[in-house]
Amino acid sequence: MIEEGSKSSKATVEKRQLFMEMRAQNFDVIRLSTYRTACKLRFVQKRCNLHLVDVWNMIEAFRDNGLSTLDHNAEINVSRLETILSSIFYQLNKRLPTTHQINVEQSIGLLLNFMVATYDSEGHGKLTVFSMKSMLSTMCGGKIVDKLRYIFSQISDSSGTMVFAKFDQFLREVLKLPTAVFEGPSFGYTEHSVRTCFPQQKKILLNTFLDVMMADPPPQCLVWLPLMHRLANVENVFHPVECSYCRSESMMGFRYRCQQCHGYQLCQNCFWRGHASGPHSNQHQMKEHSSWKSPAKKLSHAISKSLGCVPIGEPPHPVFPEAAERPQDLAHPTQLKPVSNNMNDTILMSSGAPTSTKSSTLESPSRLDEEHRLIARYAARLAAEASNSTCPPTDLSFNFDANKQQRQLIAELENKNREILQEIQRLRLEHEQASQPTPEKAQQNPTLLAELRLLRHRKDELEKRMSALQESRRELMVQLEGLMRLLKDEEQKAAQTGGSPHSSPSHSASCTMPMPIRSTSAGSTPTHTPQDCLAGVGDDVLDAFSQGVPRNLRNDLLVAADSITNTMSSLVKELHSVDDGLEDEEVNMRNGRDKVSAPRHYGNRHSTPSF
């Protein structure tokens, strides 16, 4: 008794697990019921991994489990339903890569509990075949046009005309899905649902059925179905636009543009929750965008459309033949392809191995014939796996051509690699030769030689100027000595007469001063320092510069001496920089460098100071 109680409690927890996870997503904050219903059903689809099962794989699973021969109102118990779901998900795992395998047991448990809660609310433990087909074909992956074609095959007669009673039964079953996710008040079944889809009683063929179901807008009771497929298509769509409310710099999913407020755009989260800012209102008409087009593409599209290069209105689906065809079944089917309006779970299969093109028409197949076909199919698959070594001539030729192309590609890559290695070896040898100093290479470089000659000429000019300035300084110092003698004589006379030393300025001013004579001889590189230029100057000048008593003439002489000293020091620095440049160029010549560095910017030339 305890074990049975624990099992029942575990089953109850598993039944509530999917709904608890769905409530945790907080979909109820979405303002519009259509988006709210589509988001909830999309969550159930992805949580149960039904979005990975294509509609044609689902139809094949129906055939493999013998559901195509059962009546729509036939009932199956929960254990058989679990077997069918197991075959669907185990086949799915075989198709998926090893890195993307799903948890089969968890998917089976979640989907089984959801289907039982949706279609067996009274707890009978049984579901009808039509309920299971309607739910799985609607909630699986694939294109909506393929799903609607399959649904039409289940609700039409042998002539390809829709039966209104079967369509009403389909609406009863499919509208239980919104009710299961607590959206029954908005999209529950009513007696007038059929008339809202097809208001006029007339003959409904496949193309008419698709036109109504894929119209914009679709029937009100099924408006969530195409929206659920659009949600799946735009989940990874990126819009490089800023949301006008939350200021997010990019959008994922849908993008909504206001038709009244210029440049006002909202992301899907803000639009679904009814957010608005500024002059925008929730009552404004919004346009939904499921893709991003740059302004250049929009302009080109508008121009092409105005010139008639783009069709103005494209049909929402391809046009199919109106006449219903009998489905065919070739031997050993492996790939599904739809061929007719009235598919009735038996669709055209392309053969996986070479067989004859002769096909047989199925006339009301019985359950025994279905089992025989299944056995023959599995036997053919086992035989194909056992004889992998034998393949058709077309496959052999294809494999041979593919191998030949691969060998040619490998040969081209090897030749390219060989050329690259040879180029690397050549560049390495050139680098080694360039790194070795060769006098011939230095002599062959005219830029280096011209730079060297220019530097030597510059050095000679600076040496000449240095010699001339030193000679000028010596002459100025001699003149200073004469001035000092005159100053001394004036002081002595003033002392004898008792007058001021500045009483007779006219006499001192009338004394002529010898002007310096510039030496025009080209001097060699000076070997003496600026202090050597004071040789031959009298002690009076030296004493005058060493005295601390301030006098006007002495101050003028000190200023002149400082100017001369500064000129000499700058000239010495410039001469040293030229010497360093010459030494660097000679080192570069010895090392055999081909590139010559940018010429140095030497100090400003100082003119001879004037007094």
Side-chain angles (χ1 to χ4, degrees):
M1 295 292 293
I2 298 176
E3 293 181 356
E4 291 179 357
S6 62
K7 289 182 180 179
S8 61
S9 61
K10 182 179 179 181
T12 305
V13 171
E14 290 179 351
K15 288 181 180 179
R16 295 179 180 177
Q17 179 182 357
L18 184 62
F19 296 101
M20 292 173 62
E21 292 180 0
M22 184 179 64
R23 287 183 183 275
Q25 298 296 319
N26 200 19
F27 291 120
D28 291 330
V29 300
I30 299 177
R31 181 170 55 98
L32 302 176
S33 60
T34 304
Y35 288 97
R36 190 169 59 245
T37 305
C39 289
K40 289 180 178 180
L41 292 177
R42 175 62 178 170
F43 172 79
V44 174
Q45 182 190 44
K46 294 180 67 175
R47 189 66 182 85
C48 298
N49 290 315
L50 277 175
H51 67 294
L52 301 175
V53 184
D54 191 77
V55 60
W56 302 113
N57 298 122
M58 189 66 72
I59 296 173
E60 184 181 16
F62 294 160
R63 289 172 48 81
D64 292 343
N65 289 277
L67 298 179
S68 59
T69 59
L70 297 178
D71 187 77
H72 283 175
N73 297 322
E75 295 182 343
I76 58 175
N77 54 24
V78 176
S79 60
R80 186 175 180 187
L81 175 60
E82 185 176 2
T83 303
I84 295 171
L85 298 181
S86 300
S87 65
I88 292 172
F89 286 112
Y90 278 112
Q91 289 295 327
L92 172 63
N93 249 358
K94 291 180 181 179
R95 293 189 297 269
L96 293 176
T98 55
T99 56
H100 293 77
Q101 297 289 301
I102 64 171
N103 189 341
V104 175
E105 297 298 331
Q106 185 182 22
S107 301
I108 294 172
L110 292 175
L111 183 56
L112 181 64
N113 292 326
F114 180 75
M115 293 183 67
V116 171
T118 303
Y119 294 100
D120 187 27
S121 57
E122 298 180 358
H124 296 301
K126 294 182 180 180
L127 280 76
T128 63
V129 174
F130 190 67
S131 299
M132 187 186 63
K133 286 184 177 181
S134 301
M135 186 271 175
L136 292 178
S137 61
T138 303
M139 295 294 293
C140 68
K143 298 180 180 180
I144 185 173
V145 62
D146 296 332
K147 294 181 180 181
L148 294 175
R149 287 186 62 198
Y150 174 73
I151 291 170
F152 186 81
S153 70
Q154 303 298 304
I155 61 176
S156 59
D157 56 15
S158 58
S159 63
T161 305
M162 188 187 76
V163 180
F164 278 87
K166 291 184 178 181
F167 179 67
D168 181 73
Q169 185 182 2
F170 166 73
L171 288 181
R172 289 176 182 269
E173 302 299 336
V174 78
L175 291 180
K176 289 180 181 179
L177 293 174
T179 305
V181 294
F182 314 107
E183 296 296 334
S186 300
F187 299 105
Y189 173 79
T190 62
E191 296 179 355
H192 305 287
S193 298
V194 178
R195 292 304 169 192
T196 57
C197 298
F198 300 99
Q200 298 179 359
Q201 180 75 23
K202 59 181 180 180
K203 184 178 180 180
I204 305 299
L205 300 178
L206 174 60
N207 290 318
T208 307
F209 178 78
L210 294 178
D211 291 339
V212 172
M213 293 298 167
M214 299 182 68
D216 188 16
Q220 181 60 31
C221 60
L222 295 174
V223 69
W224 52 269
L225 181 59
L227 179 58
M228 186 178 69
H229 287 80
R230 294 204 308 273
L231 278 174
N233 294 331
V234 302
E235 282 182 348
N236 298 320
V237 174
F238 175 78
H239 304 270
V241 181
E242 182 182 10
C243 179
S244 299
Y245 182 83
C246 65
R247 299 302 177 184
S248 176
E249 295 182 356
S250 59
M251 303 182 190
M252 294 293 292
F254 287 119
R255 173 171 55 92
Y256 297 89
R257 177 187 290 273
C258 182
Q259 300 299 298
Q260 298 181 22
C261 304
H262 177 71
Y264 194 89
Q265 301 187 83
L266 293 175
C267 61
Q268 64 179 18
N269 292 330
C270 294
F271 175 74
W272 290 353
R273 286 157 176 77
H275 294 159
S277 61
H280 178 71
S281 172
N282 292 329
Q283 305 301 323
H284 291 181
Q285 185 179 2
M286 303 290 286
K287 185 177 181 181
E288 181 183 278
H289 295 273
S290 57
S291 62
W292 164 255
K293 290 183 180 179
S294 62
K297 288 185 178 180
K298 290 181 181 179
L299 179 60
S300 62
H301 182 77
I303 294 174
S304 301
K305 188 175 181 179
S306 62
L307 295 177
C309 301
V310 178
I312 297 176
E314 296 182 358
H317 62 85
V319 180
F320 299 97
E322 297 291 350
E325 299 178 358
R326 289 289 183 180
Q328 297 176 344
D329 183 23
L330 300 179
H332 318 309
T334 58
Q335 185 179 0
L336 299 166
K337 291 183 180 179
V339 295
S340 65
N341 296 343
N342 189 9
M343 289 183 276
N344 291 329
D345 289 349
T346 308
I347 54 182
L348 179 63
M349 309 283 189
S350 64
S351 176
T355 56
S356 63
T357 58
K358 183 179 179 180
S359 59
S360 59
T361 304
L362 302 178
E363 295 289 346
S364 300
S366 63
R367 176 66 181 273
L368 185 60
D369 295 337
E370 180 71 20
E371 291 179 354
H372 283 314
R373 286 195 299 273
L374 292 175
I375 293 172
R377 182 188 306 169
Y378 294 142
R381 289 180 181 176
L382 293 175
E385 293 177 358
S387 59
N388 286 331
S389 58
T390 61
C391 58
T394 57
D395 295 342
L396 285 175
S397 61
F398 176 76
N399 292 334
F400 178 75
D401 294 339
N403 293 333
K404 185 177 179 181
Q405 293 178 358
Q406 292 177 359
R407 286 196 298 271
Q408 290 178 354
L409 180 60
I410 291 172
E412 292 177 359
L413 293 176
E414 288 179 350
N415 293 333
K416 194 70 176 176
N417 187 28
R418 196 177 299 110
E419 292 176 1
I420 292 173
L421 291 176
Q422 292 177 358
E423 184 68 16
I424 291 174
Q425 185 67 21
R426 184 182 65 80
L427 293 175
R428 186 177 297 156
L429 292 175
E430 290 182 358
H431 180 69
E432 292 176 356
Q433 292 176 1
S435 62
Q436 296 177 358
T438 55
E440 294 82 2
K441 190 174 296 184
Q443 293 176 2
Q444 292 175 0
N445 194 340
T447 308
L448 198 62
L449 294 175
E451 181 71 17
L452 187 59
R453 284 195 297 268
L454 181 62
L455 289 175
R456 286 177 178 173
H457 182 67
R458 173 69 173 166
K459 182 181 179 183
D460 293 339
E461 290 181 353
L462 292 176
E463 288 175 353
K464 292 177 182 179
R465 187 178 174 192
M466 181 75 174
S467 300
L469 288 176
Q470 288 177 351
E471 187 65 25
S472 299
R473 186 189 181 196
R474 186 176 180 282
E475 293 175 356
L476 287 173
M477 295 302 288
V478 172
Q479 293 179 13
L480 288 176
E481 185 179 4
L483 290 174
M484 290 298 293
R485 287 198 192 98
L486 292 175
L487 185 61
K488 226 178 232 188
D489 295 339
E490 291 291 333
E491 288 178 353
Q492 290 176 359
K493 290 178 181 181
Q496 292 175 1
T497 59
S500 175
H502 302 285
S503 60
S504 58
S506 60
H507 177 72
S508 60
S510 62
C511 297
T512 59
M513 296 176 58
M515 296 300 294
I517 301 174
R518 281 281 179 113
S519 176
T520 56
S521 61
S524 59
T525 303
T527 57
H528 53 274
T529 61
Q531 286 76 8
D532 296 338
C533 297
L534 297 178
V537 179
D539 295 335
D540 295 334
V541 177
L542 297 178
D543 294 339
F545 277 96
S546 62
Q547 288 178 4
V549 180
R551 291 189 300 184
N552 294 334
L553 183 57
R554 185 181 298 113
N555 291 337
D556 295 339
L557 294 176
L558 287 173
V559 171
D562 289 340
S563 177
I564 294 172
T565 304
N566 292 335
T567 305
M568 294 297 296
S569 62
S570 62
L571 199 61
V572 170
K573 291 180 181 179
E574 190 171 4
L575 186 62
H576 286 324
S577 64
V578 173
D579 291 337
D580 293 339
L582 285 173
E583 289 177 1
D584 293 341
E585 293 297 332
E586 289 175 357
V587 171
N588 292 337
M589 289 288 293
R590 286 196 297 272
N591 292 335
R593 294 182 181 176
D594 293 333
K595 293 184 179 180
V596 181
S597 60
R600 295 179 175 85
H601 296 281
Y602 304 102
N604 297 330
R605 296 186 178 181
H606 298 280
S607 59
T608 305
S610 60
F611 302 98

